[in-house]
Amino acid sequence: DAGITQSPRYKITETGRQVTLMCHQTWSHSYMFWYRQDLGHGLRLIYYSAAADITDKGEVPDGYVVSRSKTENFPLTLESATRSQTSVYFCAGTAGTASYNEQFFGPGTRLTVL
Amino acid sequence: AQTVTQSQPEMSVQEAETVTLSCTYDTSENNYYLFWYKQPPSRQMILVIRQEAYKQQNATENRFSVNFQKAAKSFSLKISDSQLGDTAMYFCAFGGATNKLIFGTGTLLAVQP
């Protein structure tokens, strides 16, 4: 148990719709991350958060919005979904503030945009 | 910017044999960390092994060991006595001055009975 849950596990939506993927943690991870996994690209960082109300862009932030009003929740919103956002999304967290700290991953959400 | 390269998209190994997965990286930082993550068909990301760049000794975790060559910026993973449960996608990752991880594109390992 990595202490991170994601919901939903699977989601199908249509182009142009707003979608929110939820991430909840129970281990008091200070840092939290959103990645997308695509074949041939590995995992790419979308956004991350160092603490409540502190967020920053990763490698592929366009088309996504995040918030972190509470330490335990880190939702990812696709404001107007596009087919290119079809992917598997992972939320991750790390307890420490040093880069050697292991990142713990949630089970992932498979999103399909039609 | 840091980059991580895994040049072997797919590999296959017979059960009980040894296999080595390759990873190279590029960075100008001197202090950093390297990781191998395993992703089985369940999709869960699992940390396999971690290496601190300031340590010359290669990390080992049971059947898993690394060959860390700092000057060559190489970080390969050796799996000994391969088991069917080792079948998975393996990702190499770099952790530097920030808390962000940079992942390679992955190597899909199939362990054959």
Side-chain angles (χ1 to χ4, degrees):
Chain A
D1 180 10
I4 293 182
T5 58
Q6 293 183 237
S7 61
R9 294 293 309 277
Y10 300 89
K11 176 73 176 178
I12 299 174
T13 191
E14 295 178 339
T15 301
R17 290 190 179 270
Q18 183 180 81
V19 178
T20 296
L21 309 184
M22 304 302 295
C23 177
H24 176 75
Q25 58 126 331
T26 59
W27 280 14
S28 299
H29 297 296
S30 52
Y31 277 78
M32 296 189 75
F33 307 83
W34 273 107
Y35 295 91
R36 60 177 290 173
Q37 180 178 10
D38 304 289
L39 194 62
H41 291 280
L43 278 76
R44 293 181 291 175
L45 182 65
I46 304 170
Y47 270 95
Y48 67 104
S49 168
D53 297 322
I54 301 175
T55 62
D56 206 351
K57 296 178 180 179
E59 181 185 354
V60 288
D62 293 344
Y64 303 94
V65 174
V66 294
S67 62
R68 197 171 176 199
S69 57
K70 294 183 178 181
T71 303
E72 61 267 29
N73 296 321
F74 190 41
L76 175 73
T77 297
L78 289 66
E79 294 186 298
S80 179
T82 64
R83 290 181 181 171
S84 65
Q85 292 178 309
T86 292
S87 186
V88 178
Y89 291 85
F90 285 96
C91 180
T94 184
T97 57
S99 60
Y100 59 79
N101 286 290
E102 175 183 356
Q103 287 191 16
F104 295 89
F105 286 79
T109 295
R110 181 177 292 279
L111 175 68
T112 301
V113 183
L114 301 176
Chain B
Q2 292 86 3
T3 58
V4 177
T5 301
Q6 293 180 250
S7 59
Q8 305 153 313
E10 297 183 18
M11 294 193 71
S12 181
V13 64
Q14 292 295 123
E15 197 174 5
E17 296 192 342
T18 296
V19 64
T20 299
L21 309 183
S22 300
C23 174
T24 59
Y25 59 94
D26 190 24
T27 184
S28 58
E29 298 182 31
N30 192 48
N31 296 317
Y32 51 87
Y33 300 84
L34 297 162
F35 307 83
W36 278 98
Y37 277 87
K38 169 184 178 180
Q39 186 181 43
S42 67
R43 212 166 63 197
Q44 182 68 48
M45 293 286 288
I46 304 164
L47 179 66
V48 175
I49 200 164
R50 169 175 51 214
Q51 174 77 43
E52 293 87 341
Y54 66 86
K55 288 187 177 179
Q56 292 186 341
Q57 186 173 6
N58 290 323
T60 62
E61 288 288 342
N62 300 314
R63 298 182 294 106
F64 298 88
S65 62
V66 299
N67 182 4
F68 174 50
Q69 302 290 329
K70 190 174 184 179
K73 296 186 175 132
S74 172
F75 182 59
S76 60
L77 174 69
K78 185 172 81 171
I79 306 174
S80 304
D81 186 25
S82 296
Q83 302 176 358
L84 296 178
D86 296 333
T87 292
M89 181 74 85
Y90 288 83
F91 291 99
C92 177
F94 171 97
T98 68
N99 278 284
K100 297 180 284 186
L101 290 182
I102 308 298
F103 286 86
T105 53
T107 296
L108 181 61
L109 176 67
V111 180
Q112 307 291 343

